[in-house]
């Protein structure tokens, strides 16, 4: 139930994170990056790149398998976002060489 959210200091992101914190029932710890320190966001940026790559791959697989162009508002896209997030969270190898799962 405890979540640590790392974010930059962009006003729109800060507002979204505050709303998320209010909506959650568990503890939400927010860590802001130091202004001008791009390395502090390196881990998060790498995770986003990995996620985007997985999303592109899965979308291409679905489109090839079903010979169809899947629009971004199709329900399978929402499913894939959740599914890929779960896969990434469980299978990503962290600094100790192990997965979280």
């Amino acid at each position: 139930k405890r979540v640590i959210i790392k974010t930059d200091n962009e006003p729109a992101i800060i507002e979204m994170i505050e709303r998320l914190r209010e909506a959650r029932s568990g503890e939400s710890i927010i860590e802001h990056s130091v202004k001008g320190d791009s390395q502090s966001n390196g881990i998060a940026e790498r995770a986003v790149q990995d996620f985007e790559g997985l999303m592109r791959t899965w979308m291409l697989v679905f489109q090839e398998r079903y010979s169809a162009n899947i629009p971004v508002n199709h329900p399978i896209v929402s499913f894939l976002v959740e599914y890929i997030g779960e896969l990434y969270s469980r299978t990503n190898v962290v600094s100790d060489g192990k997965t979280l799962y």
Side-chain angles (χ1 to χ4, degrees):
K1 296 286 180 171
R2 180 176 167 218
V3 173
I4 299 173
I5 303 168
K6 295 184 180 186
T7 180
D8 60 14
N9 295 315
E10 184 179 332
I13 299 293
I14 291 172
E15 183 178 338
M16 182 190 74
I17 296 301
E18 287 300 326
R19 289 183 183 181
L20 175 68
R21 177 194 268 179
E22 292 169 5
R24 288 193 75 245
S25 60
E27 181 183 9
S28 299
I29 300 170
I30 300 174
E31 292 183 3
H32 297 281
S33 63
V34 178
K35 189 172 185 175
D37 184 12
S38 62
Q39 287 185 346
S40 65
N41 282 335
I43 295 170
E45 289 176 13
R46 180 63 193 168
V48 169
Q49 289 175 351
D50 291 345
F51 181 88
E52 288 174 344
L54 288 168
M55 188 69 185
R56 278 191 301 272
T57 301
W58 280 81
M59 284 293 290
L60 287 171
V61 167
F62 273 92
Q63 289 180 17
E64 287 180 17
R65 182 167 291 165
Y66 299 107
S67 301
N69 187 13
I70 301 172
V72 294
N73 61 347
H74 192 280
I76 195 69
V77 176
S78 296
F79 166 78
L80 280 176
V81 169
E82 289 186 42
Y83 182 69
I84 291 168
E86 187 70 26
L87 280 179
Y88 185 81
S89 294
R90 290 181 177 213
T91 62
N92 185 43
V93 178
V94 292
S95 59
D96 64 0
K98 298 178 182 177
T99 64
L100 297 176
Y101 189 70

